[in-house]
Amino acid sequence: LATLGLRHGLHVGTAVNMDALNDASDPQYRKLVSSEFASVTAENVMKWESLEPTRGTYNWAPADQFVDFAKRNRQSVRGHVLVWHNQLPAWLTSGVADGSISKQELRELLRKHITTVVNRYKGKIWQWDVVNEAVSDPWDTPSTLHYKGFWAQNLGPGYIADAFRWARAADPKALLFYNDYNIEAFGSGNPADDKTQFVYDMTKSLRAQGVPIDGVGSQGHLGTQYGNFDTLQVTAALKKFSGLGVATAFTEVDVRSQLTEAVQAGNSEEINPRLQASAANFSVLMKACLAVRSCLSYTVWGFSDKYSWVPGWFSDPPEGLATIYDENYQPKRAYQELKSDLIFA
Ligand code: G3I
């Protein structure tokens, strides 16, 4: 996939699980990360809770190892993630909750975090996910779309512009991305209920204010139970974002399915349609990315069902089968589909 993608100037990438990469009993994982992908994203080790588990004491080793691994393999790196409301260190969230960290101090801690991390990997990161998942979903309360989560609640939405400015100051060459899910296609066009429109309006306004946002990453966490996207719809969304002067990318693609008892028992009549629908969705996003010049990379969120985050997250009802290789590293239909999209583009 790496080689075929680069023919089109497209970096096909994967999220990397560092435990799997370092598991000597599973050499196949490391082999496939190295051979199939031109770009890598750390699935967890560059998140704040991993980098600074104790206040003031940085745990750089896993992230350093990840960045060195990419360099040795001549892979570009998507840095993930500078500002997110999940996987924050407990000292930070509890400090804010008990009032021992003031709002002013929190803003200063964020500035320091961004500056320190971006500076450490300066020159080694192609794209940084600067702000991740800042916008609510229609199923949240209130249902009118809004800036959600720890950072907006404590600092107000102005933290978004600040974060991009601090990141740019620390590494002027890295491409700075806003990253989110459920923004693959436009809906009603009303930012009150259309998340893609909300993110589009936000990006437009940030650009108009001169905030250094270079790209919008569409995660691409899809599910076969939700039906298929249409290639033209997704292409149109990427194009519309490009019209703001930003790059685009698919940053965390996977397409999960519900695991009925029959699926879990290995019933191929239930498994095959899921694999087919999953492949079709992987392909829609790939075709759209190939059709739009601004789409720089297509990253899958893990490549094998052996390590996918999906079963751990969606257990009631159970979901899985979300990646392009099965648990034994056999390429699935989705892999073949991506390959043929790249060959025939
Ligand atoms: O590191 C601890 C370990 O010490 C402990 O023993 C173990 C027991 O549960 O948990 C480990 O932490 C887990 C961590 O991954 C590292 O493996 C957490 O429980 C688990 O919740 C965490 O899940 C990650 C999730 O983000 C958490 O927010 C997934 O691996 C990761 O794939 C997922 O990635 C996110 C992107 O960053 C942003 N977009 C959505 C995407 C999917 O949720």
Side-chain angles (χ1 to χ4, degrees):
L1 298 180
T3 312
L4 292 170
L6 290 174
R7 283 196 202 161
H8 303 282
L10 174 67
H11 286 65
V12 180
T14 184
V16 176
N17 174 325
M18 290 307 283
D19 293 334
L21 193 78
N22 287 322
D23 183 350
S25 72
D26 186 1
Q28 186 74 351
Y29 184 88
R30 182 177 277 257
K31 199 173 145 221
L32 287 171
V33 174
S34 312
S35 60
E36 287 289 336
F37 302 99
S39 167
V40 285
T41 310
E43 186 173 358
N44 286 298
V45 300
M46 293 181 109
K47 293 171 178 174
W48 198 337
E49 80 171 353
S50 170
L51 292 176
E52 197 186 3
T54 308
R55 186 169 179 174
T57 307
Y58 286 89
N59 166 43
W60 294 115
D64 285 359
Q65 194 213 341
F66 165 74
V67 172
D68 291 346
F69 172 86
K71 190 173 183 195
R72 275 202 310 283
N73 288 297
R74 282 187 235 91
Q75 291 162 313
S76 51
V77 178
R78 295 200 78 261
H80 178 85
V81 51
L82 296 172
V83 196
W84 191 27
H85 53 267
N86 277 342
Q87 290 175 287
L88 289 170
W91 61 263
L92 182 79
T93 49
S94 62
V96 170
D98 69 19
S100 60
I101 297 177
S102 69
K103 300 291 154 73
Q104 199 187 353
E105 190 180 3
L106 180 65
R107 185 167 183 273
E108 178 53 21
L109 283 166
L110 181 61
R111 189 195 63 75
K112 197 172 138 246
H113 173 72
I114 292 174
T115 307
T116 306
V117 176
V118 175
N119 197 38
R120 182 170 185 96
Y121 299 111
K122 186 176 180 167
K124 297 178 175 172
I125 307 291
W126 179 36
Q127 308 173 6
W128 262 116
D129 285 335
V130 178
V131 176
N132 193 43
E133 301 172 10
V135 179
S136 69
D137 292 286
W139 56 81
D140 290 329
T141 313
S143 65
T144 302
L145 298 186
H146 56 278
Y147 291 106
K148 71 170 183 194
F150 179 83
W151 295 104
Q153 278 153 25
N154 288 295
L155 300 180
Y159 82 87
I160 297 173
D162 289 340
F164 280 98
R165 291 194 169 110
W166 293 327
R168 176 69 100 229
D171 183 352
K173 289 199 179 134
L175 293 176
L176 306 182
F177 272 70
Y178 176 76
N179 191 48
D180 215 330
Y181 58 87
N182 284 343
I183 58 166
E184 293 81 16
F186 283 89
S188 68
N190 177 356
D193 61 31
D194 178 351
K195 188 169 175 182
T196 312
Q197 188 66 43
F198 190 104
V199 171
Y200 177 86
D201 292 350
M202 174 194 79
T203 307
K204 190 173 178 185
S205 147
L206 291 170
R207 298 276 299 177
Q209 294 164 65
V211 174
I213 173 172
D214 303 310
V216 173
S218 174
Q219 295 181 0
H221 291 295
L222 307 182
T224 57
Q225 66 271 36
Y226 307 118
N228 284 0
F229 275 107
D230 178 84
T231 306
L232 288 177
Q233 243 185 332
V234 178
T235 303
L238 293 178
K239 280 196 177 146
K240 197 164 168 195
F241 276 103
S242 324
L244 296 175
V246 293
T248 60
F250 287 110
T251 55
E252 307 184 8
V253 185
D254 54 15
V255 189
R256 60 187 189 270
S257 287
Q258 291 194 352
L259 305 178
T260 59
E261 273 172 32
V263 169
Q264 294 182 63
N267 178 339
S268 56
E269 277 182 32
E270 290 227 4
I271 294 174
N272 288 339
R274 287 170 170 77
L275 296 180
Q276 184 172 352
S278 181
N281 279 288
F282 271 102
S283 173
V284 163
L285 301 191
M286 177 58 89
K287 286 197 176 84
C289 190
L290 283 165
V292 178
R293 193 180 295 272
S294 76
C295 189
L296 304 179
S297 54
Y298 182 106
T299 298
V300 294
W301 204 243
F303 57 90
S304 163
D305 288 343
K306 186 169 180 185
Y307 296 108
S308 167
W309 69 291
V310 167
W313 203 266
F314 301 95
S315 50
D316 188 20
E319 296 184 42
L321 299 174
T323 72
I324 60 176
Y325 287 84
D326 72 12
E327 291 180 353
N328 303 310
Y329 298 117
Q330 294 308 303
K332 296 196 272 188
R333 192 166 177 151
Y335 174 91
Q336 308 299 353
E337 203 70 46
L338 291 181
K339 200 169 161 183
S340 84
D341 288 341
L342 289 163
I343 289 172
F344 296 111

